[in-house]
Amino acid sequence: MSGIGYSVSFQSVCWNVAFVLGTFFFIYGIIYIFRTKGIKEEHFIKAGAFEFLASWIMYIPEAFFNDTPDSLPFLKAVESIITALLTTFNIYLGNGYERVAFLGRPIFSSIYAILMTSANIVLLLFVAGFIIRFLNGPLQRIKLSFNRKRYTYIFSACNEKTMAIARSVPQKKKKLIFSFGNNVVESIEKQQMDAIDGIYVDLTVSEILNKTIKKNSKMEIFLFGNSEEDNLSQLEIICDYLKDKSFEAVRVFIELLNTPWSLYDDFLEKHNSSDDNRFVINFVRTEENFAYNNFLKHSIFEIQLVSGDEKIIKFLIAGMNDRNLEVLKTILHLGQMPGFRLELMVLDEKAGRQSLRMKMPEVHDECDTKGDAVYKLIYKENVDFHSGDHLQIIEKEFMDFSFAFVNAGDDLLNASIGMNINMLCSRHNRSDQYRIQVNIVNEDLYKDWDMNLTEKLDFVGATNKVYDYGFITMSDIERGTIAIHKVRYPEGTDRYKSWISYCNNEYNRHSVYARTLSFKYKVNIIHDKYDPQNKLKGTDKEWDIYSVTGIDNSEWKVYEHMRWNMYTRTMGYILADKSQLDGKNELNPRKRAVAKIHNDLVLFDKLPPDEQKKDALKLTPEIVQILESL
């Protein structure tokens, strides 16, 4: 490759420059593709362009210093550049070179050849990557057909909610499938699904089932689209499709924000009636789930004020919206506990007390009747959080709060309110314990905040935490509830009841979840007062909850009825009057559900004996062990 009429030193410079530039573009193309987040088709094109440029530059010296007669230098240069371009298009694996003058010494020809070969191979890989991305739709359908034995999760949409659930599903060997129907998959959605190895196809959920369901299939379906009507329509189609199919287990979770789930009691009873639990539908009430999971982790009784023989729980809620309403409802029934008194203050930026009365007619401002309920609700309306109204109210009337939940607006407003309340506590030299929870939707927002200002604040409510798989499925509480149910209604006995028949409508299911959470609180409170391994001191009897707490059976029954009273009232039920009862002084279950009336919303002493027995608190050592594992 000596060329004609060119000195060895000039050739060496040209080869060296081509080698350096080729190396630069070769390495840059590789770095570009690895540093790019969420690789798209255009990223492969750009990275491939850098490799193509590397190959092109490294072919120029060969074309320039060939053995053809010399022409004018300018024309020769243009000719060689064009020739190198055409060569690059046609030659992908490099030619190799016998003698390349590098710094005047012809000993590095193999390095140059290897670089050219590498650049062309990488270019081919980038071209293949682009083709695969371009043919993504067919590829996704192919992926759909493989690994059918994997535990499968199907999502009716790709949004912030479903992505959070998909990222947190527990199985290691899992198959994540996103249904897009006739909708176009946006590039940002592709990036998110590719990052978790998700499969996305232009099929409906029922069409996906048709391609994936087998006799041994185990799958969970999440209907979490933005339209409840679409979610419910898909649910009915899925139920019709699965009616005659064989499978091992299918669970469907469907989010209902505004639709009353009682509308679907008959629907659930029809489809959830199978004792083998093969097919189960659960309606998800996200905000209730948040409240239950939150208070499962953070007991409202961990901090209290002591006044004489009574312990007082003072709970502050800043703001009133769907989430805060569920927090309020949960606290009202959890707060019915022997030896405790509950005081609640709600700061509402609007005039929402009347609206609350319409939703919960029998939740009054105050009730102090043992056997019915014990609580005080202080409701402040038209509070301007921007002007500091809330601080004046707290300082004058509720400065000794034990627990605060702040959710009055966007993340920054909530953080500001939380810091201001904490500032107030600091000014009053509060050395006692208190907890301030601040609702923050965007978890990334507070990572760079000054920790000195936020160390007393507990940030909760981030979207990726609320739409966590465990939160949405209520897995901890449901696991405990089912385990307790099996202890209370054991198989092979006259008392046996299957879980699915016991909780065959949403009211029963949510009500039992609430009871399990309440039992968990009771176990936490008496935790240090018993040892399940020991007999009662001085006797041959096993321990029981009544003797170790000094609270007898009848007292626990009274407070369990009070808890149920408050739970049912927060669901909007009121006491049925005599005109609504039949000749046996009973209420038709259908009428009870339609009118939201109940004839057991009375003092414990006025309950029929059979109903009083239902309030018995049977915390056996086995049940206590289950509750402590939550």
Side-chain angles (χ1 to χ4, degrees):
M1 295 187 188
S2 61
I4 300 173
Y6 297 103
S7 66
V8 173
S9 60
F10 176 68
Q11 291 185 51
S12 179
V13 169
C14 291
W15 283 106
N16 293 340
V17 169
F19 180 77
V20 171
L21 290 175
T23 303
F24 171 79
F25 286 113
F26 167 70
I27 295 174
Y28 187 81
I30 296 173
I31 292 174
Y32 174 84
I33 203 72
F34 279 106
R35 291 188 62 186
T36 302
K37 294 182 180 178
I39 300 173
K40 306 177 185 178
E41 291 89 341
E42 56 263 34
H43 295 145
F44 281 108
I45 295 173
K46 290 179 181 178
F50 291 122
E51 300 305 320
F52 185 88
L53 187 58
S55 295
W56 181 10
I57 289 172
M58 287 189 290
Y59 275 123
I60 291 174
E62 180 191 21
F64 191 82
F65 297 111
N66 58 28
D67 292 328
T68 60
D70 289 335
S71 59
L72 294 173
F74 174 75
L75 294 176
K76 182 70 173 176
V78 173
E79 176 188 296
S80 59
I81 290 172
I82 296 173
T83 302
L85 178 62
L86 295 174
T87 304
T88 309
F89 271 119
N90 288 282
I91 302 175
Y92 273 159
L93 296 180
N95 288 342
Y97 296 90
E98 293 301 324
R99 293 178 64 81
V100 175
F102 190 81
L103 300 179
R105 299 175 64 188
I107 59 174
F108 292 100
S109 58
S110 58
I111 297 176
Y112 199 101
I114 290 170
L115 179 62
M116 289 194 66
T117 302
S118 300
N120 283 289
I121 290 173
V122 173
L123 172 58
L124 279 175
L125 292 176
F126 288 157
V127 170
F130 168 76
I131 293 172
I132 290 172
R133 291 278 170 161
F134 188 75
L135 299 176
N136 210 18
L139 178 66
Q140 295 297 322
R141 286 176 178 265
I142 293 170
K143 289 170 67 177
L144 192 66
S145 303
F146 287 95
N147 296 320
R148 290 193 180 188
K149 292 183 180 180
R150 285 190 175 187
Y151 200 105
T152 302
Y153 298 86
I154 302 175
F155 303 91
S156 65
C158 177
N159 52 39
E160 203 173 6
K161 302 173 185 178
T162 55
M163 286 304 304
I165 298 169
R167 292 188 190 103
S168 60
V169 292
Q171 271 77 12
K172 290 182 179 178
K173 293 184 177 180
K174 58 196 175 190
K175 192 173 181 180
L176 306 172
I177 306 172
F178 293 84
S179 165
F180 277 82
N182 296 321
N183 298 320
V184 177
V185 186
E186 301 293 338
S187 59
I188 185 71
E189 295 171 334
K190 286 184 181 179
Q191 294 173 42
Q192 293 173 339
M193 291 180 288
D194 285 336
I196 58 173
D197 199 24
I199 301 170
Y200 40 97
V201 286
D202 54 348
L203 302 171
T204 64
V205 174
S206 57
E207 289 171 335
I208 292 171
L209 288 173
N210 186 43
K211 292 182 177 294
T212 57
I213 198 95
K214 291 180 70 176
K215 190 174 181 179
N216 61 347
S217 292
K218 292 182 180 179
M219 58 179 59
E220 296 182 20
I221 303 170
F222 293 84
L223 303 178
F224 277 67
N226 295 322
S227 166
E228 288 188 20
E229 189 171 348
D230 289 345
N231 293 343
L232 290 166
S233 296
Q234 288 200 57
L235 176 64
E236 298 209 15
I237 295 171
I238 291 167
C239 290
D240 288 342
Y241 176 80
L242 293 175
K243 187 166 49 179
D244 301 319
K245 296 293 185 296
S246 296
F247 52 86
E248 188 169 336
V250 173
R251 295 185 75 191
V252 181
F253 297 93
I254 172 171
E255 184 180 40
L256 294 184
L257 302 175
N258 302 308
T259 306
W261 31 260
S262 55
L263 281 174
Y264 283 83
D265 280 349
D266 289 343
F267 182 85
L268 290 180
E269 190 170 354
K270 174 184 175 183
H271 292 285
N272 285 1
S273 58
S274 174
D275 284 349
D276 61 9
N277 256 9
R278 274 195 331 129
F279 183 53
V280 177
I281 302 167
N282 283 349
F283 289 121
V284 176
R285 299 181 64 236
T286 303
E287 302 306 347
E288 180 190 75
N289 286 11
F290 166 78
Y292 281 19
N293 281 290
N294 186 34
F295 294 127
L296 180 64
K297 293 183 177 181
H298 308 288
S299 170
I300 63 173
F301 294 103
E302 66 189 53
I303 306 167
Q304 69 254 217
L305 304 172
V306 179
S307 177
D309 295 333
E310 203 169 41
K311 296 175 181 177
I312 303 175
I313 306 300
K314 301 193 73 170
F315 202 106
L316 172 68
I317 299 177
M320 181 46 63
N321 45 52
D322 289 344
R323 179 162 296 178
N324 294 20
L325 177 61
E326 291 301 329
V327 168
L328 170 66
K329 290 160 64 174
T330 304
I331 295 165
L332 279 169
H333 68 79
L334 287 180
Q336 307 305 307
M337 187 77 72
F340 289 85
R341 175 178 294 275
L342 175 65
E343 291 186 16
L344 273 159
M345 174 178 278
V346 176
L347 304 177
D348 186 358
E349 63 273 35
K350 300 177 182 177
R353 183 65 183 102
Q354 183 57 35
S355 174
L356 196 64
R357 287 191 182 94
M358 294 297 293
K359 292 175 182 175
M360 302 182 290
E362 291 204 7
V363 174
H364 306 293
D365 289 344
E366 189 170 2
C367 186
D368 192 9
T369 306
K370 185 179 176 181
D372 184 18
V374 177
Y375 68 90
K376 183 178 181 180
L377 174 59
I378 306 166
Y379 202 101
K380 299 290 184 178
E381 297 182 310
N382 301 313
V383 177
D384 187 348
F385 291 103
H386 296 278
S387 69
D389 284 357
H390 58 292
L391 297 177
Q392 296 181 38
I393 295 169
I394 295 169
E395 190 169 28
K396 289 179 181 178
E397 303 181 39
F398 220 68
M399 194 60 240
D400 54 350
F401 71 88
S402 53
F403 207 122
F405 182 76
V406 179
N407 182 27
D410 61 30
D411 289 354
L412 291 176
L413 177 61
N414 291 342
S416 176
I417 294 170
M419 287 189 291
N420 284 333
I421 294 174
N422 189 48
M423 172 199 68
L424 203 61
C425 293
S426 181
R427 287 179 179 176
H428 281 258
N429 295 318
R430 280 198 60 174
S431 57
D432 55 333
Q433 286 187 314
Y434 58 89
R435 179 183 290 277
I436 302 174
Q437 286 193 335
V438 178
N439 194 78
I440 296 289
V441 175
N442 183 6
E443 189 178 38
D444 293 332
L445 190 65
Y446 63 83
K447 289 181 178 178
D448 297 325
W449 289 352
D450 189 334
M451 295 301 295
N452 292 320
L453 296 176
T454 61
E455 64 176 347
K456 289 283 188 178
L457 306 183
D458 179 17
F459 294 114
V460 298
T463 299
N464 63 318
K465 297 291 178 60
V466 173
Y467 286 91
D468 174 86
Y469 176 85
F471 261 47
I472 287 300
T473 61
M474 295 287 277
S475 54
D476 284 338
I477 293 176
E478 182 174 88
R479 173 176 56 81
T481 302
I482 294 174
I484 292 170
H485 177 83
K486 289 179 179 178
V487 172
R488 297 184 69 185
Y489 303 97
E491 290 188 45
T493 67
D494 295 338
R495 298 175 58 245
Y496 171 71
K497 293 179 183 177
S498 71
W499 163 252
I500 201 68
S501 62
Y502 184 72
C503 291
N504 62 355
N505 66 60
E506 287 295 288
Y507 174 85
N508 287 353
R509 186 168 69 90
H510 289 269
S511 178
V512 177
Y513 287 169
R515 184 180 66 190
T516 298
L517 183 58
S518 170
F519 280 12
K520 169 69 173 175
Y521 270 51
K522 292 174 173 66
V523 165
N524 288 348
I525 288 173
I526 67 170
H527 183 274
D528 296 328
K529 297 184 178 181
Y530 70 85
D531 181 355
Q533 304 302 320
N534 296 333
K535 306 285 186 181
L536 289 175
K537 189 174 182 180
T539 72
D540 291 330
K541 296 180 180 179
E542 298 286 348
W543 74 273
D544 64 85
I545 186 174
Y546 314 115
S547 56
V548 299
T549 60
I551 303 173
D552 62 26
N553 188 355
S554 60
E555 185 85 345
W556 279 113
K557 284 182 180 179
V558 170
Y559 275 89
E560 175 57 19
H561 175 67
M562 291 164 64
R563 186 206 63 78
W564 177 87
N565 260 358
M566 287 311 300
Y567 175 80
T568 306
R569 286 170 181 168
T570 61
M571 292 294 106
Y573 282 78
I574 64 173
L575 178 65
D577 60 39
K578 290 185 178 180
S579 66
Q580 294 161 330
L581 306 178
D582 60 21
K584 297 181 181 179
N585 209 35
E586 294 178 352
L587 182 63
N588 180 281
R590 178 64 63 186
K591 187 172 185 179
R592 182 172 66 193
V594 171
K596 280 197 171 182
I597 52 178
H598 211 297
N599 54 333
D600 290 341
L601 288 170
V602 294
L603 288 170
F604 179 82
D605 293 341
K606 293 185 178 180
L607 283 174
D610 288 345
E611 292 301 324
Q612 288 185 352
K613 289 179 182 178
K614 292 180 181 180
D615 290 316
L617 188 69
K618 298 178 181 178
L619 291 181
T620 65
E622 190 174 2
I623 291 177
V624 169
Q625 188 175 8
I626 293 168
L627 291 167
E628 288 190 323
S629 72
L630 297 184

